[in-house]
Amino acid sequence: MSGGSHLLGCYPASRVTFVKGRGCELWDSEGRRYIDFLAGLAVVSLGHANPEIAEAMAEQALRLVHVSNLFRNEPAEAVAAELDDLLGGGGRVFFCNSGAEAVEAAVKFARRWGGGRRTIVAAEGSFHGRTLGALAATGQPSKREAFEPVAGGFRHVPFGDAVALEEALDDDVVAVLLEPILGEGGVVVPPAGYLRRVRELCDSKGVLLAVDEIQTGLGRTGTWFAHQHEGIRPDLVCIAKALGNGFPVGACWVTTRVADAIRVGDHGSTFGGQPLAMAVARAVLRELKRVDAPARAQSSGARLAEMVSKIPQVEQVRGRGLLLAAEFGRPIASDVAERAIENGVVVNAVTESAIRLAPPLVITDEEITEGTERLAAAIEEVCG
């Protein structure tokens, strides 16, 4: 635990205390300014201290913060309708407070739909959250082993391998759960056509396709949702992170055939879908549309990828839109991230050999240039 802190040591100790943000900039308690290339782990897509979001939050807080889900509220109906529209229509939405909760909901909804079938197939290297059900779905044994037994009924296959997935779809499988791009697994894009093949396999086997868009959703990869790059329609979609631009909110969208299987009392959340959270989400969706978030992710992502790829020590830049990883080919990512902070740019080590770049979607060309120059200097200092 860091000196003088009463916080439980679940996170790496940091010497930096951020006290203020504006757009893609952060300031620490010493008054130093930083370029944010991480957006709170792909959360703050509209930038820090966004005035439109703050105004919506304050207005709703003065009107109505919370009522039980025993009653309807207007903001929740509006946000559900907007998400359904972005996902092609014809679905229903369950609201919760985080991405892990959205995954937990998706698992329960899929199993309810499937009757006696229980097994869910996920990908090796995937990350779906740290609650016990989401952890069971996560394809990284090192994150699970200390907490066994986690929930049963999960099976993992190599990401991007449609043949291995087909072999895993036996009669007990009810759903396939995938990230369209592995986020915490290293920002790994599957082979072209993979998601379309998965959709075909799910249809032929009578299995649901659940897509975890918690990190990739709401414009970050250049489409509203990353699975839309391949033109498929999932049966369930998990959403969080950008939906609240930093306010804790999550959602699980399901198609009508899944929704029809859900019964009153199957699932719930005390705070999920409450008016304050929904007013924030409604403002976020309005702003994401106004700034054309997918187009910004495409153009700014291309510029950032091009500039970072020119740094001599970077072997590869992978990802889509403004969800990128810079690969070094050797285990220096933690050192680079730490030196980058010292140089005034925020990134994180997503693997031992790669850093993640996921800035706010509203980042400017000038901020991309300044942040990349600071990052390049940090890499040079680490590599000598």
Side-chain angles (χ1 to χ4, degrees):
M1 188 173 73
S2 59
S5 175
H6 289 77
L7 296 175
L8 191 61
C10 290
Y11 307 103
S14 174
R15 290 171 292 181
V16 177
T17 301
F18 288 122
V19 297
K20 186 175 74 172
R22 182 183 61 202
C24 300
E25 302 170 297
L26 288 165
W27 285 266
D28 68 15
S29 55
E30 305 298 319
R32 294 187 66 219
R33 173 179 167 271
Y34 300 75
I35 298 295
D36 188 359
F37 269 9
L38 193 57
L41 296 174
V43 168
V44 192
S45 288
L46 291 166
H48 299 280
N50 183 292
E52 300 295 332
I53 310 305
E55 183 177 343
M57 189 183 305
E59 180 180 336
Q60 187 65 46
L62 290 169
R63 178 181 301 175
L64 180 66
V65 170
H66 180 83
V67 291
S68 163
N69 280 308
L70 297 174
F71 308 96
R72 298 175 67 172
N73 75 77
E74 293 177 354
E77 294 285 354
V79 175
E82 292 210 37
L83 287 176
D84 186 49
D85 182 61
L86 291 175
L87 285 160
R92 298 287 186 274
V93 180
F94 173 84
F95 288 113
C96 49
N97 311 288
S98 68
E101 290 176 69
V103 171
E104 298 277 354
V107 169
K108 289 182 68 176
F109 297 157
R111 286 178 174 168
R112 170 59 85 187
W113 174 85
R117 289 184 289 169
R118 289 289 180 265
T119 299
I120 292 175
V121 179
E124 296 173 0
S126 63
F127 182 82
H128 299 289
R130 297 180 189 272
T131 55
L132 287 179
L135 194 59
T138 292
Q140 299 184 44
S142 63
K143 289 184 167 57
R144 294 197 308 263
E145 288 168 352
F147 311 104
E148 298 283 359
V150 294
F154 291 87
R155 184 179 303 160
H156 296 89
V157 297
F159 183 64
D161 187 339
V163 174
L165 176 63
E166 183 174 12
E167 292 173 351
L169 297 181
D170 62 24
D171 292 341
D172 191 56
V173 174
V174 66
V176 173
L177 172 62
L178 291 175
E179 297 166 274
I181 297 172
L182 293 186
E184 299 298 319
V187 189
V188 179
V189 181
Y194 174 65
L195 292 179
R196 283 196 299 275
R197 181 57 181 153
V198 172
R199 178 73 271 181
E200 292 171 358
L201 290 172
C202 288
D203 289 342
S204 67
K205 300 286 186 177
V207 168
L208 297 176
L209 173 56
V211 176
D212 180 342
E213 292 268 11
I214 292 163
Q215 189 160 164
T216 52
L218 297 174
R220 178 151 294 277
T221 70
T223 52
W224 281 111
F225 293 94
H227 67 264
Q228 293 169 342
H229 285 288
E230 294 213 2
I232 66 163
R233 180 177 167 87
D235 300 293
L236 305 98
V237 179
C238 302
I239 308 163
K241 289 191 182 290
L243 184 56
N245 202 54
F247 194 95
V249 56
C252 180
W253 175 89
V254 303
T255 53
T256 301
R257 66 169 175 158
V258 178
D260 288 346
I262 306 305
R263 305 169 187 171
V264 172
D266 273 352
H267 200 47
S269 168
T270 296
F271 299 110
Q274 51 123 281
L276 181 60
M278 294 295 97
V280 172
R282 182 169 57 182
V284 167
L285 293 174
R286 181 172 62 241
E287 281 300 291
L288 287 172
K289 289 179 178 178
R290 187 185 67 79
V291 303
D292 196 352
R296 278 181 172 263
Q298 285 184 24
S299 59
S300 296
R303 179 180 178 85
L304 179 59
E306 180 183 7
M307 294 188 69
V308 172
S309 67
K310 291 178 180 176
I311 299 174
Q313 297 87 354
V314 173
E315 290 191 354
Q316 177 197 40
V317 176
R318 58 176 180 262
R320 264 185 171 151
L322 275 173
L323 180 59
L324 301 169
E327 174 66 50
F328 302 109
R330 46 184 172 148
I332 62 171
S334 293
D335 291 339
V336 168
E338 186 172 341
R339 188 58 65 93
I341 281 285
E342 294 174 5
N343 283 14
V345 60
V346 182
V347 298
N348 89 306
V350 71
T351 70
E352 290 184 348
S353 61
I355 58 169
R356 174 170 35 192
L357 308 169
L361 305 185
V362 294
I363 194 167
T364 65
D365 289 350
E366 292 75 19
E367 289 166 334
I368 289 175
T369 298
E370 181 181 358
T372 304
E373 290 173 349
R374 294 185 182 203
L375 178 60
I379 295 169
E380 177 64 29
E381 289 164 13
V382 168
C383 295

